[in-house]
Structures are given as C-alpha cells and as structure tokens.
Amino acid sequence: MMEHNLIESSDELWQKAISLLREVMATDQERSQMERYFPLFISHSIENNEYVVGLSEQFHVDWLSPKFALPLERALHSVGLPNEFHVRFTVKKQQEDSATTTPSPELARNKLTDNQHRVAPHLRGIPSTMPLQENYTFENFVRGPSNSFAHAAATAVAKGPGRTSYNPLFIYGGTGLGKTHLMEAIGHYVIDHSQSSSVCFITSETFLNEYVNAIQNDSLPAFRERYRKVDVLLLDDVQFIAGKEKVQEEFFNTFYSLILYHKQIVITSDVSPKNLNKFEERLIGRFQQGMVVEIESPSYETRLAILKSKAQATQKIIPEEILKFIAENIRSHVRAIEGALARIVTFMSMQSDIPLTIDIAKHLLRDSIEEEKTIKDLSIGDIMKTVAAFYGITIEDILSSQRTQTLVTPRQLAMFLSRKLTTKSLQEIADEFKKTHATILHGAQTIQKRLDVEPDLKKSIEEVVLRMGRKASDILE
Ligand code: ADP
Ligand code: MG
C-alpha cells in the first residue's frame, strides 16, 4: 500500500525534483544544457526500492547516468523520496509503458504537439542526436550587424543543405552569442521542410563519448554506419575535442564521407579554425574549405532588440526604461541578457503589486552588473575597426599620418578610446598606432577638451562606444 502511494506521487516527486534542479544549477549555461536533456527522460516510476528513470536508448543511459543520476537522486531525496530509494536509469521502450510507469510530462508534450516530429527523427536510426531546443528557430533569432553574416549563411544552408558551397559551415564566436541557437535553427528548418531528412544534432563531447563507448563495446562499425546515414550533421562546440587525436581522426573520416555524398555539415566553435589549438592540420584545413563565419558581441541596438523580442515572449509588460537599462548594463553576451530578463520577470510575477523601478532592477541585477565589470578588455584593433567603420574610413587611414581633419578626428578618437576602454599601457597603444607617446596623449587630450564644447562630437562618441558594447558613462566621467 505504502508503495502504491509513492507510485502515485512519482510524477509529483519528479516535478518537484526538476524544479529544484533548475533552481540550483549554478550557471545559465548549465541550466540550458540540462533543459535539453529532459526530453530524453521518457518515463519514471517507482519499482521496489528504486526510482526508475526510463530512456529510449542504451547510450543515453550510459551517457546521462554519470551526469545526472546522482544530482537527480539528491534532488528527489530533498523533495520527499525516502533516502533508501536509489535512482536508476534504464532503457524503456515507449510502447511498453507498464501500469506503474508514468510518462514524463516532456514525453506527453512531445506526443501532443507538433513538436513531435522534431524529436522523432532523432529517435529513428540516429540515436545519437540530442533533441532540438524548441525555441531555437530562425523566427526567434534577432538579426543585427554582429550576426547578420552568420545568419545569412545559416539560412542559405538551411534552404539547400549540402547543395551550397557552404559545406562545412563553420560558425565561431564567444560564449552565449547564439552559435547553438543558429545551428539548431538550421535543424528545425530542415525538419520542417523535408520530413525525410535526418538531422543529427550533437555536441562534440557526445560524439567523443559515443566513440569511446563504441570502442569499449566493440561496435565501431555500427557507430560509423549511423553517422554515415545522416543528411545534416550539426556538431556543436568542436573545441571540446582539442588534443583528442583518435576522436579527431574518427571525425575526420565521418566528415570526409558525408561531404563526399553532399551531406551538410555545420560546426560551431568558440574560436576560428586557425585558432583551434591541438587540432590536426588536415582537419583544420577541412573546416576552412566551406564557409567560416563569426558571430560577434551584439551592439546596444541589437541587445535591446533581443530583449524586446524575449520580453514579448514572456507576455509581461516590462517598461522600456528597464529594458534599456538591461541593454546598457549587460553587454557581454546574450545568455547573460536572458538571465537578467528572467530575474526581472520572476520579480514581476512574485511581487505583482510593487511597481518595477530602475532602483529595484539595479538591485536585482547587481551581481550580473558586477560580473560585467570584469569582462575582458576591448582590443585596440576592435576600437580602430569600430571607429573606422563609423566614419566610413579604413584602419589604414587611422594608422596613416595624413593630417586632413576628416582623418584626424577619427584617429584621435581611436586614441582617446584606447586610453579609456582598455588597460593597455601608453607604450602598447603607441606601438599599435605606430606613433609616439606624445602623439597619443595629445590626441586623447584633444578629444577630451572638444567633448565639453561640441555636443555633436559627444553624440558620435557615445554611438561608437555603444557599438562596441560599452556604455557612454564608461568614458564620460
Ligand atoms: P552559444 O552557443 O554561442 O554559447 P547560444 O546559442 O546557446 O550561445 O545562445 C545563448 C542564448 O542566447 C540562447 O538562449 C539564445 O536563444 C540566445 N540568443 C543568442 N543570440 C540571439 C539572437 N540573435 N536572437 C535571439 N536570441 C539569441
Ligand atoms: Mg553553444
């Protein structure tokens, strides 16, 4: 009888444990990673002295047990599962739902919605694929100068997988800038427009784990066969297999055979191919053969546009002033912006009678704002590039010695900003500008003086600073 009660509450325990896990994840990245795995848990039930979590594939069990069994067990214990019950992950076929097995809500959702087909192809013949995040679509991706090139390439690939010269498409950029989102958008698009195409989305970490498993189980041919069947291979975070020669070689072979059959490959990485350390030369060569695109940090306008789009999705009415405040203060990457928005939204839901003011927002976001202060310096190169683009001149113009006023102002402005926005020494700045200390100091001082009397110049500078993801107040103290 006792067991029966527990069985009835297995779903409740599950819900509570998952909420708890969501709360305790240390970083937004960890949380988003975990969200991705949830759909893989297809059932949970209480059997004898165990809390049994069902997955559809053995390799999901092998791969998720070490990661999740213990945290999940701890979470379940904290929400009321008796301590003598242990968590076990096992393979459960979906059709053999026994009376004691509660399908997980994720499964129920997948069954009920149109989203089903997004998961189904993953489970057909290509067990290695991870489910695509529902909202990582092109529709939800906000375009801006920092990502428009990558976006255009991704769209082209999605419309004609394997049929463009963008093969592989290699997307790189710092963390939280939208690489995975864009990659999965390609997956969604292909699945939506061609039901027969098999899309495989995996991280290079998973690829590595599977490869290791395949060797241990003596099933390398089956592993290879599976990957050779894929129409679109989306390999996320390739930098993870740096220094792992064997798996690089395996990937090289997979890569080679897919390209040979005009299958599409998309790769993401935190650095450009040529900056990938501890990678085989020939693999780097391959990565550069298609199209290499960078996603950069979003400008103030793009950050604000992303915020507005995400805010709309929350269906809460957030004052524009607050959105601007976030866009101004959270500049590092989009994931941090989402984190900030989530905190604001939580506050609004829980304290619906208190009007949200800037002061409250400041307080809620104090940790993130503090963290932002430690973001690494802008490079002098970035500054020259942004200033040159703003004034419609080239970096060569900035570095030249021509004394026409159209060049002197931008040049001096770049010097001024290099002093204000980087921690580089005067010597380093002088070296990069190929000028003397005195010239740099004079240039920076000239701008400082003009600022007080030329509102137009001040406006321009503010604009340039925002384009670099900084705040006007960083330089105008
Ligand atoms: P990366 O893979 O580069 O670390 P992600 O693709 O995981 O970054 O993006 C982090 C978060 O930011 C995701 O929730 C994603 O939806 C969001 N995001 C990033 N860029 C954009 C964008 N241009 N428009 C909308 N959302 C974005
Ligand atoms: Mg990513």
Side-chain angles (χ1 to χ4, degrees):
M1 202 55 217
M2 154 81 181
E3 191 166 301
H4 183 69
N5 284 339
L6 275 169
I7 291 165
E8 281 189 338
S9 58
S10 107
D11 195 42
E12 209 173 305
L13 287 171
W14 177 261
Q15 298 296 353
K16 285 186 184 158
I18 297 298
S19 309
L20 182 65
L21 278 176
R22 280 195 176 113
E23 250 168 60
V24 300
M25 285 288 148
T27 65
D28 294 333
Q29 179 150 24
E30 269 176 19
R31 193 169 307 115
S32 89
Q33 231 183 34
M34 194 183 67
E35 295 293 340
R36 186 189 296 294
Y37 298 134
F38 286 148
L40 298 178
F41 299 119
I42 58 172
S43 68
H44 44 82
S45 55
I46 292 173
E47 297 169 17
N48 304 320
N49 263 4
E50 290 180 325
Y51 192 97
V52 181
V53 179
L55 294 134
S56 64
E57 305 290 339
Q58 182 59 44
F59 88 87
H60 286 153
V61 173
D62 297 341
W63 162 50
L64 290 177
S65 294
K67 267 194 215 293
F68 274 117
L70 199 58
L72 192 62
E73 183 172 296
R74 288 202 188 116
L76 283 163
H77 287 161
S78 339
V79 298
L81 182 74
N83 281 344
E84 62 273 22
F85 281 63
H86 292 293
V87 166
R88 181 164 61 87
F89 286 11
T90 186
V91 179
K92 278 248 158 67
K93 293 286 170 240
Q94 290 182 32
Q95 50 275 40
E96 48 182 76
D97 281 0
S98 74
T100 55
T101 301
T102 317
S104 77
E106 284 76 14
L107 176 69
R109 196 185 62 213
N110 288 339
K111 263 187 188 150
L112 289 173
T113 67
D114 148 70
N115 196 39
Q116 166 78 35
H117 67 278
R118 252 162 268 265
V119 179
H122 308 148
L123 306 175
R124 249 190 273 134
I126 334 155
S128 38
T129 192
M130 291 153 69
L132 298 179
Q133 208 117 290
E134 223 172 299
N135 56 342
Y136 282 13
T137 59
F138 282 124
E139 290 75 32
N140 292 337
F141 191 83
V142 176
R143 250 188 311 166
S146 55
N147 61 37
S148 59
F149 197 38
H151 178 272
T155 315
V157 160
K159 290 185 175 159
R163 297 195 300 275
T164 68
S165 57
Y166 301 172
N167 206 6
L169 172 60
F170 191 101
I171 305 171
Y172 74 94
T175 176
L177 295 180
K179 301 182 296 295
T180 303
H181 184 139
L182 210 46
M183 170 178 253
E184 292 192 33
I186 297 174
H188 280 295
Y189 190 95
V190 172
I191 292 169
D192 281 345
H193 291 81
S194 155
Q195 297 281 334
S196 62
S197 291
S198 53
V199 174
C200 174
F201 167 74
I202 43 159
T203 63
S204 71
E205 182 185 7
T206 314
F207 187 84
L208 169 74
N209 290 345
E210 277 195 40
Y211 172 70
V212 171
N213 282 343
I215 291 181
Q216 280 166 358
N217 306 335
D218 220 6
S219 59
L220 211 45
F223 168 83
R224 290 188 174 138
E225 177 61 23
R226 267 199 338 246
Y227 279 101
R228 306 292 196 270
K229 279 203 277 193
V230 167
D231 294 310
V232 177
L233 178 62
L234 308 172
L235 184 77
D236 204 12
D237 288 329
V238 75
Q239 73 276 357
F240 185 84
I241 56 169
K244 314 227 156 71
E245 287 155 31
K246 277 275 181 251
V247 73
Q248 283 181 27
E249 192 177 317
E250 185 63 33
F251 183 63
F252 180 84
N253 293 332
T254 306
F255 188 102
Y256 187 77
S257 97
L258 288 175
I259 294 275
L260 197 64
Y261 290 100
H262 300 285
K263 304 301 179 71
Q264 180 69 46
I265 298 177
V266 183
I267 297 168
T268 67
S269 157
D270 61 355
V271 292
S272 70
K274 62 176 189 301
N275 288 326
L276 274 172
N277 270 329
K278 299 198 201 146
F279 264 77
E280 268 189 70
E281 273 308 315
R282 57 177 188 159
L283 201 48
I284 290 179
R286 290 273 158 191
F287 291 166
Q288 291 171 317
Q289 271 174 7
M291 172 60 92
V292 178
V293 288
E294 180 179 6
I295 300 190
E296 295 172 79
S297 298
S299 63
Y300 170 75
E301 285 77 13
T302 309
R303 295 199 300 276
L304 190 58
I306 292 175
L307 267 164
K308 284 185 175 164
S309 137
K310 308 249 171 200
Q312 206 166 23
T314 68
Q315 311 198 323
K316 287 249 178 309
I317 299 176
I318 304 170
E320 169 105 6
E321 184 192 22
I322 301 285
L323 295 178
K324 284 188 170 154
F325 174 78
I326 302 175
E328 257 180 42
N329 287 283
I330 313 285
R331 299 156 309 196
S332 53
H333 53 76
V334 184
R335 197 176 288 118
I337 293 173
E338 286 178 341
L341 182 65
R343 271 186 287 285
I344 297 287
V345 169
T346 308
F347 174 85
M348 291 175 82
S349 318
M350 311 217 319
Q351 314 279 344
S352 50
D353 48 334
I354 304 179
L356 185 62
T357 61
I358 287 282
D359 281 337
I360 294 180
K362 250 183 214 165
H363 182 72
L364 290 172
L365 303 179
R366 63 197 180 281
D367 290 346
S368 325
I369 294 173
E370 201 50 45
E371 238 168 68
E372 292 283 326
K373 295 206 177 116
T374 61
I375 314 169
K376 78 174 192 320
D377 270 1
L378 285 167
S379 76
I380 294 176
D382 289 335
I383 292 174
M384 289 186 192
K385 204 163 91 180
T386 315
V387 172
F390 181 81
Y391 284 97
I393 60 172
T394 64
I395 292 189
E396 286 69 42
D397 290 333
I398 288 189
L399 292 173
S400 77
S401 305
Q402 278 188 54
R403 307 258 340 131
T404 51
Q405 198 54 39
T406 43
L407 298 186
V408 170
T409 297
R411 186 181 299 137
Q412 293 187 331
L413 176 54
M415 294 172 179
F416 169 79
L417 293 176
S418 299
R419 294 281 287 158
K420 290 283 184 182
L421 297 176
T422 74
T423 51
K424 297 272 190 304
S425 67
L426 192 55
Q427 180 64 54
E428 289 168 310
I429 298 175
D431 287 348
E432 290 215 36
F433 278 87
K434 303 191 175 52
K435 299 281 185 315
T436 62
H437 287 193
T439 308
I440 303 293
L441 281 177
H442 172 72
Q445 281 160 5
T446 306
I447 296 292
Q448 184 75 61
K449 283 186 202 138
R450 286 178 60 190
L451 268 177
D452 296 334
V453 290
E454 294 179 48
D456 283 352
L457 180 67
K458 188 169 166 195
K459 258 212 168 88
S460 302
I461 295 181
E462 286 173 358
E463 168 64 24
V464 170
V465 169
L466 285 177
R467 282 194 189 185
M468 287 185 293
R470 296 300 167 100
K471 287 183 300 180
S473 59
D474 288 350
I475 51 148
L476 305 172
E477 81 275 7

